[in-house]
Structures are given as C-alpha cells and as structure tokens.
Amino acid sequence: MTTILSITDLRKSYADGFEALKGVSLDIEEGEILALLGPNGAGKTTLISTICGITMPSSGYVSVGGHDILNDYRAARRMIGLVPQEIALEPFEKVQNTVRLSRGLFGLGRDDAKIEDILRKLSLWDKRKNAVKELSGGMKRRVLIAKALAHEPRILFLDEPTAGVDVELRKDMWEIVRELKENGVTIILTTHYIEEAEAIADRVGVINGGELLLVEDKDNLMAQMGRKHIEVMLTEPVDAIPDALKQYDLTLNGAGNAFVYSYDIHGERTGITSLLNDVAKAGLVLRDVQTRQSSLEEIFVNLVSGEQA
Amino acid sequence: MNWAAVAAIYRFEMARFFRTLAQSFFSPVLSTSLYFIVFGTAIGSRIETIEGVSYGAFIVPGLIMLSVVTLAISNASFGIYFPKFLGTIYEVLSAPINFLEIVIGYVGAAATKALFVGLVILVTATFFVDIRVEHPIAMAAFLILTCLSFALLGFIIGIWASNFEQMSLIPQLVITPLIFLGGTFYSITMLPPVWQTITLFNPVVYLVSGFRWSFYGLADVPIFFSLLAIGAFTGICLAIIWWIFKTGWRIRS
Ligand SMILES: Nc1ncnc2c1ncn2[C@@H]1O[C@H](COP(=O)(O)OP(=O)(O)O)[C@@H](O)[C@H]1O
Ligand SMILES: [Mg+2]
C-alpha cells in the first residue's frame, strides 16, 4: 500500500487565536475509505479545509501524492475533490453548467461524455438542464458530489455527506462511496454517526478538540465501541452486589436499587440469560429492566481515559 | 498559467449576463434616451454649444463614463461577493489556480459587461446627436482601461464587503459624487476658478477629460495627465488585490 496523503503535525489557529487543530498527524493509504468521527466542533471541517486550501495551516506539513500543499499546490489540488459540509451552489445556474465550471476550474478541457457519465451515475442526468434552485436538498448534495468528481480526483473528501439526509439518500450515498472506492478513489469522510463509519469505512479516526485521538481498523474499533448496557432495577435496595453475582462486573447505583451490566454486542455470548438466572437465584426481585447503547459521548470519554491509562 | 480555469470562470460569469441579455441591452438604451430628452432638450436648448460642440454631443463621453464606471464596479463587486455570500467560493479556493487567474476571470467578465453597455450607449446616442470620434484608438483604450480599472476596484469592494449595505457604500458615497462632480455633464472651465482648482483633485476629471478629448479633441486637463491618472489608478488597484491574495484577507482564514 502506498501513502497518498500524509499529514504531519498540522496545527491551525484561527484569527481569534482559537486553536482548532492541535498537531494532527495522519497517513492515508491509497484506495481506502477513512471515516473521521467526531462531535461538532471537533475540527473535522478545519482539517479538510486546510488540506484543500480553503484555510491556511499555522504550521505542519501536508503532502498529497508527494506534492506539498503549499509549495506545489497546483499538483496537490488537482488530485483532490471536495464535497463541502454546507450546500453551496449558484441557485440560478443549470446543473450541467455548474459541473462544467468545476472541471474547468481544475484546468481540464470540456468533456461532455465524462460529465454525462458522472451525472448519470449520480441520477442527475434528467435534471441536467434544471436550475439548481429547482432541486431538492438531496439532489443538491448530489450536484456537489458531481462537481467534486468533475475533474476525476484521486482523493475525495466528503464533509458530513449524510448529515440531515433521509435514510434513503444515506443508503444511496454509501453506495456511491463504495463504487468510487472500486474505481480506486481514496475517500475521507467525516461523520458523527457511528453507524455510518461502521457501514462503509475501512479505518476510523476519532477526532475531538482538535486532536486525533486514534486511528484504527474499523473492525477493532467497533469491537470496542459496540457495548450495550442493561440497567436492572430492583424492588428492594441492596447494600452491595451479592457474592453470587460478583463474577459479572456490575456497577451498583448510589441508592442501591439498580445496577448496570455492560456487554459486548459483537461477543459470542452476551451473558444476559445467566445473569438474570443468577439474579433470581440470589433472591433479588426485578422491578424493571432497560437497555441502552453506548452513546458517542461515552465512547469518547472511554477512548480518552483509555489513552491516558 | 491555468488558462482553462480563467476561461471557465469567465464563461460562467458571462452566462449570468447572457441569461438577462435583453435587460442588459434595453435598460441602457432607455436611460440614455431619457438623458437626452431631459438634458439634451431641456437644458441643452439653453446652453447651445461648448467650445463648438453641441451640448447634447458634449455630454456623450461623460454619459458613457458614468454608466461604464458604475457598472464595472457593481458587476465586479457582485461577481465576487456572491460566491462569498453563497459559499461557492470554496471551489475557487480549493482549485489549482492562483490570484492572477481568479482576477482575470472575474474582472475580465465584469469589464466585458460594462464595455458592452458602454458601446450600447454610444450607438444609442448617435440616434440623438451627431458624434464624431477624432481619436478612435485612444477612445477604445480609455474605454477598455476604465472598464478594467473600475472592475478591479469593484472586485476589491466585493472582497472587503461583509454585507449588502457595504456593497453600495463606496459606489454611492464616493464614486457617484465624484463622477457627477467630475465634469461629466459640463466643462470644468465653466466653474469659478476656486472650484476649478478643487476639482483637479477629483480623479474622475482626468478620466472624463481624456475620454472627451478622444471624441472632440477637447480636454479640461492635458491628455498626458489623463493617461497617467488611469494608469496609476489601475496600478494601485492591482497592488491592493495582490496584497489581498498574498495575505488571504477576508477570503482565506
Ligand atoms: N473561521 C473560524 N474562526 C474561528 N474559529 C473557527 C472558525 N471556523 C471554525 N472555528 C472553530 O474551530 C472549531 C472546529 O470547527 P470545525 O472544524 O468546523 O469542527 P467540525 O467540522 O468538527 O464540527 C470549532 O470550535 C469552531 O468554532
Ligand atoms: Mg464540520
């Protein structure tokens, strides 16, 4: 595997002094799909904008296909396509013309066959003569993708491509991403949905507070992330977890009337059946049981504390 | 140079113009006709001639300058302000192009549109008055340079402005008064001596004077100063734009 994008100690402070990137280093392999997972304000858009030339880095290096993004910006940028987070399109312009503009901006001559191919793949061909403002939100997002692909980039950045998008379109979007990958395009997408990373990424990077907390193979990460919790509420409070249940690693709440059991949903056995059997054997009476999945926030907390430990 | 990108920007900007071509054509025709009806007939009948040129013919160069300057500024400022406003500027910033290419594309298109309207006015005017052009090459040069330099100024305004009010601030507060006080509709020799001197600090005087000279050989100030003024103005605008792109001021945080 060859590295197509290399980021070294990238820092970005905005004019107001706020440091949005605090030394990010990351290598991206050619042909992979990398999902950058992080809450709002984590620095995902800043990272992408800096690589693409929309904001200036404060320090650090980025090279794209071996080309420095500052000294050799033309060669570097030619390899990159960007689908921005916000829908930004000229409302009165025809779909086809705005896609042509994108190709031209990257220095390529007009190629109607290529544009047709892209528009068809994105189900936009029928709308090519429509003004952008006549399209639905989902269609506009496709136009943004078409524009980003118009110059046949080797690397595609998708900044929260499925935020605020309905389920149908989200599935379509994933399909598009998979097809691009098959054509050898390297894809970096940001999201705050774990399921999205799970569905399409090869690797997942977790970013928070301007720092890349970790980058890992998706399968490894999902194993860590996919934890579920059962809260068992009791009719009578207890002082401590009975000895018979010590093997389960339970956490009792302050009032002693409920405890939480965590398990791995990917594990072969969840241990729920035997736990509930043993609870009954220990003479405890259940009032209620509820389950919940790890929230993104909890996962971040776990990751951060895990890193420090 | 990435000429394909320059052409792409230019074509895209011109497409907007062609969508409203009828409007771009008829509104200057109408406003020019109105000027002739009001100024040419009502006032012109009292002024008769200025240095041997009928008043109606005398105001033609000023009239063209007025429209061309206003339009070059507004076309160029909106041309770059809209992408900022809509967010579509991300694409220009992330494309493999440099500042010169961006400026040539946007400013070139804005200047072309202003030039088109200037020519429409010139042709319309020939229906009302007899016009002669003594120095056609100088006339073309003045017209094109004016379109370009004020489009550069408009580009700067469009980058600087952070809302719509600011977009019209400089044109309304600075440019329009300077044009009306710049000998557009009169010869500055008609003013009292003190005002003549004050007027010499108005750069538009040099522009209009030079342009009128190319028509009738009449100039309020020596033609050399006119050329110098417009050359210096273009140079200053270019320097400011170069600085904007070097520092990323208001476009690249
Ligand atoms: N132009 C800017 N000036 C100052 N701060 C900014 C600017 N853009 C973004 N930020 C700040 O940088 C942080 C990261 O923002 P962003 O990269 O947009 O995060 P994300 O895309 O992960 O939601 C946020 O705290 C945001 O407020
Ligand atoms: Mg973002």
PDB file of all heavy atoms in Angstrom, chain A residues 40-41 43-46 85 159-160 190, ligand 2:
ATOM      1  N   ASN A  40     -19.537  17.775  16.963  1.00  0.00           N
ATOM      2  CA  ASN A  40     -19.473  19.126  16.390  1.00  0.00           C
ATOM      3  C   ASN A  40     -18.364  19.933  17.045  1.00  0.00           C
ATOM      4  O   ASN A  40     -18.196  19.870  18.254  1.00  0.00           O
ATOM      5  CB  ASN A  40     -20.801  19.861  16.594  1.00  0.00           C
ATOM      6  CG  ASN A  40     -21.816  19.433  15.567  1.00  0.00           C
ATOM      7  OD1 ASN A  40     -21.457  19.095  14.432  1.00  0.00           O
ATOM      8  ND2 ASN A  40     -23.078  19.421  15.949  1.00  0.00           N
ATOM      9  N   GLY A  41     -17.631  20.659  16.231  1.00  0.00           N
ATOM     10  CA  GLY A  41     -16.576  21.499  16.777  1.00  0.00           C
ATOM     11  C   GLY A  41     -15.277  20.755  17.010  1.00  0.00           C
ATOM     12  O   GLY A  41     -14.316  21.310  17.542  1.00  0.00           O
ATOM     13  N   GLY A  43     -13.133  19.781  14.851  1.00  0.00           N
ATOM     14  CA  GLY A  43     -12.052  20.209  13.969  1.00  0.00           C
ATOM     15  C   GLY A  43     -12.041  19.461  12.643  1.00  0.00           C
ATOM     16  O   GLY A  43     -11.095  19.597  11.866  1.00  0.00           O
ATOM     17  N   LYS A  44     -13.087  18.700  12.372  1.00  0.00           N
ATOM     18  CA  LYS A  44     -13.134  17.909  11.140  1.00  0.00           C
ATOM     19  C   LYS A  44     -13.108  18.810   9.902  1.00  0.00           C
ATOM     20  O   LYS A  44     -12.299  18.612   8.992  1.00  0.00           O
ATOM     21  CB  LYS A  44     -14.421  17.045  11.113  1.00  0.00           C
ATOM     22  CG  LYS A  44     -14.563  16.125  12.310  1.00  0.00           C
ATOM     23  CD  LYS A  44     -15.803  15.251  12.207  1.00  0.00           C
ATOM     24  CE  LYS A  44     -17.121  16.012  12.237  1.00  0.00           C
ATOM     25  NZ  LYS A  44     -17.428  16.660  13.514  1.00  0.00           N
ATOM     26  N   THR A  45     -14.008  19.798   9.887  1.00  0.00           N
ATOM     27  CA  THR A  45     -14.059  20.687   8.723  1.00  0.00           C
ATOM     28  C   THR A  45     -12.770  21.499   8.598  1.00  0.00           C
ATOM     29  O   THR A  45     -12.265  21.702   7.490  1.00  0.00           O
ATOM     30  CB  THR A  45     -15.279  21.626   8.829  1.00  0.00           C
ATOM     31  OG1 THR A  45     -16.460  20.819   8.866  1.00  0.00           O
ATOM     32  CG2 THR A  45     -15.371  22.569   7.645  1.00  0.00           C
ATOM     33  N   THR A  46     -12.238  21.914   9.717  1.00  0.00           N
ATOM     34  CA  THR A  46     -10.981  22.667   9.675  1.00  0.00           C
ATOM     35  C   THR A  46      -9.868  21.825   9.056  1.00  0.00           C
ATOM     36  O   THR A  46      -9.102  22.308   8.218  1.00  0.00           O
ATOM     37  CB  THR A  46     -10.576  23.107  11.092  1.00  0.00           C
ATOM     38  OG1 THR A  46     -11.638  23.867  11.656  1.00  0.00           O
ATOM     39  CG2 THR A  46      -9.310  23.938  11.065  1.00  0.00           C
ATOM     40  N   GLN A  85     -19.420  20.607   3.617  1.00  0.00           N
ATOM     41  CA  GLN A  85     -20.466  20.262   4.583  1.00  0.00           C
ATOM     42  C   GLN A  85     -21.770  21.001   4.262  1.00  0.00           C
ATOM     43  O   GLN A  85     -22.850  20.417   4.296  1.00  0.00           O
ATOM     44  CB  GLN A  85     -19.968  20.638   5.979  1.00  0.00           C
ATOM     45  CG  GLN A  85     -20.938  20.320   7.079  1.00  0.00           C
ATOM     46  CD  GLN A  85     -20.336  20.603   8.456  1.00  0.00           C
ATOM     47  OE1 GLN A  85     -19.136  20.829   8.611  1.00  0.00           O
ATOM     48  NE2 GLN A  85     -21.169  20.576   9.455  1.00  0.00           N
ATOM     49  N   ASP A 159     -17.484  15.952   3.481  1.00  0.00           N
ATOM     50  CA  ASP A 159     -17.633  16.513   4.824  1.00  0.00           C
ATOM     51  C   ASP A 159     -19.090  16.369   5.278  1.00  0.00           C
ATOM     52  O   ASP A 159     -19.962  17.094   4.803  1.00  0.00           O
ATOM     53  CB  ASP A 159     -17.193  17.977   4.836  1.00  0.00           C
ATOM     54  CG  ASP A 159     -16.915  18.485   6.242  1.00  0.00           C
ATOM     55  OD1 ASP A 159     -17.152  17.731   7.203  1.00  0.00           O
ATOM     56  OD2 ASP A 159     -16.461  19.636   6.378  1.00  0.00           O
ATOM     57  N   GLU A 160     -19.320  15.439   6.149  1.00  0.00           N
ATOM     58  CA  GLU A 160     -20.662  15.112   6.648  1.00  0.00           C
ATOM     59  C   GLU A 160     -21.677  14.983   5.516  1.00  0.00           C
ATOM     60  O   GLU A 160     -22.668  15.710   5.459  1.00  0.00           O
ATOM     61  CB  GLU A 160     -21.112  16.157   7.680  1.00  0.00           C
ATOM     62  CG  GLU A 160     -20.184  16.144   8.875  1.00  0.00           C
ATOM     63  CD  GLU A 160     -20.775  16.809  10.103  1.00  0.00           C
ATOM     64  OE1 GLU A 160     -22.005  16.956  10.167  1.00  0.00           O
ATOM     65  OE2 GLU A 160     -19.987  17.152  10.993  1.00  0.00           O
ATOM     66  N   THR A 190     -16.243  12.637   6.849  1.00  0.00           N
ATOM     67  CA  THR A 190     -16.433  12.942   8.257  1.00  0.00           C
ATOM     68  C   THR A 190     -17.879  12.657   8.606  1.00  0.00           C
ATOM     69  O   THR A 190     -18.762  12.713   7.761  1.00  0.00           O
ATOM     70  CB  THR A 190     -16.160  14.424   8.562  1.00  0.00           C
ATOM     71  OG1 THR A 190     -17.217  15.218   8.018  1.00  0.00           O
ATOM     72  CG2 THR A 190     -14.842  14.873   7.994  1.00  0.00           C
TER      73      THR A 190
HETATM   74 MG    MG C   2     -17.836  20.392  10.209  1.00  0.00          MG
END
